[in-house]
């Protein structure tokens, strides 16, 4: 018996899904989505290669722990500094989950 396939069977065009693409290098599929009138590059990350790193989700303002699967999104024609790490659920609900949290003075900005 062959193992179960955990790949999408079609419908969306994933950049780098072919052999030697970004999927092999970064461990996730990359797609282009439209949000707020802008094209966004979205990459699903397994989180296994982020040992020891934590990120702060802009959707819920909570920490994404080391090794947790998540989404990295950035405007398509922006630089590396504009990448943001989101929980998968927060990215899916991004229109309902805008960050309106006001941080205190002593709180670090991520």
């Amino acid at each position: 018996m062959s193992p179960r396939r955990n790949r999408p069977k079609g419908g969306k065009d994933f950049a780098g899904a072919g052999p030697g693409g970004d999927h092999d290098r970064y461990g996730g599929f990359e797609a282009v989505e439209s949000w707020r009138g802008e094209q966004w590059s979205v990459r699903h990350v397994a989180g296994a290669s982020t040992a020891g790193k934590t990120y702060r989700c802009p959707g819920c303002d909570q920490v994404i722990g080391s090794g947790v699967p998540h989404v990295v999104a950035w405007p398509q024609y922006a630089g590396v500094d504009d990448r943001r790490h989101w929980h998968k659920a927060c990215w899916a609900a991004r229109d309902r989950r805008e960050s309106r949290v006001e941080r205190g003075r002593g709180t670090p900005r991520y």
Side-chain angles (χ1 to χ4, degrees):
M1 180 182 288
S2 61
R4 188 177 95 188
R5 284 179 56 141
N6 287 329
R7 295 185 205 137
K9 292 188 178 183
K12 287 190 176 180
D13 182 26
F14 289 100
D22 289 339
H23 169 67
D24 295 337
R25 187 176 351 165
Y26 297 110
F29 291 106
E30 185 175 328
V32 177
E33 296 183 18
S34 180
W35 181 44
R36 292 184 176 171
E38 208 173 347
Q39 296 294 335
W40 287 70
S41 296
V42 180
R43 182 175 297 142
H44 294 268
V45 181
S49 64
T50 59
K53 291 185 180 180
T54 59
Y55 304 101
R56 187 165 295 274
C57 175
C60 65
D61 201 43
Q62 299 296 313
V63 172
I64 300 172
S66 176
V68 174
H70 60 280
V71 173
V72 180
W74 66 96
Q76 191 173 13
Y77 299 108
V80 176
D81 293 338
D82 293 324
R83 290 185 299 187
R84 297 293 174 257
H85 296 254
W86 295 69
H87 291 106
K88 288 184 178 186
C90 293
W91 177 254
R94 62 191 173 272
D95 291 327
R96 298 184 311 266
R97 286 191 151 188
E98 286 190 40
S99 180
R100 291 189 180 105
V101 177
E102 292 188 25
R103 294 187 178 100
R105 258 189 192 169
T107 307
R109 289 193 159 304
Y110 290 90

